[in-house]
Amino acid sequence: VGSAPWQCRAVHTSKEELKMNNINNRLTKEQFKQIRTELQYTQREMAELLGITIRAISYYEAGQKPVSKTVSILTKRIYITER
């Protein structure tokens, strides 16, 4: 079982603690795209799941806009649930 893309490596922290501690941190553009591609979603499918536009997905992945906190939290929940 690999660690989630947003989790840092810590010796004394369990994976569950990391999930809870980091669930509210914003994803980077790389983390966001890694999650989408790892789950094998197209930009359109991810946009539909998150209730946002394909353009927003494109902006996030290109780094033109930071991934919002809400989208980060929802994306992490989808990743935890579906992987």
Side-chain angles (χ1 to χ4, degrees), residues 1 8-9 12 17 21 23 32 37 39-40 44 48 51-52 59 61 64 67 73:
V1 176
C8 63
R9 305 240 184 244
H12 301 294
E17 288 171 325
N21 290 340
I23 196 74
F32 182 76
T37 56
L39 294 176
Q40 299 180 343
R44 178 181 300 279
E48 289 174 7
I52 60 176
Y59 284 158
E61 291 184 358
Q64 292 175 315
V67 181
I73 291 169

Side-chain angles (χ1 to χ4, degrees), residues 36-81:
R36 181 182 66 77
T37 56
E38 188 174 322
L39 294 176
Q40 299 180 343
Y41 285 128
T42 64
Q43 286 186 343
R44 178 181 300 279
E45 291 167 333
M46 194 70 169
E48 289 174 7
L49 272 173
L50 295 170
I52 60 176
T53 64
I54 298 169
R55 183 170 293 203
I57 299 285
S58 180
Y59 284 158
Y60 292 154
E61 291 184 358
Q64 292 175 315
K65 292 188 176 184
V67 181
S68 74
K69 188 172 181 178
T70 301
V71 168
S72 292
I73 291 169
L74 290 172
T75 302
K76 291 174 191 180
R77 290 289 182 195
I78 291 167
Y79 180 80
I80 290 167
T81 303

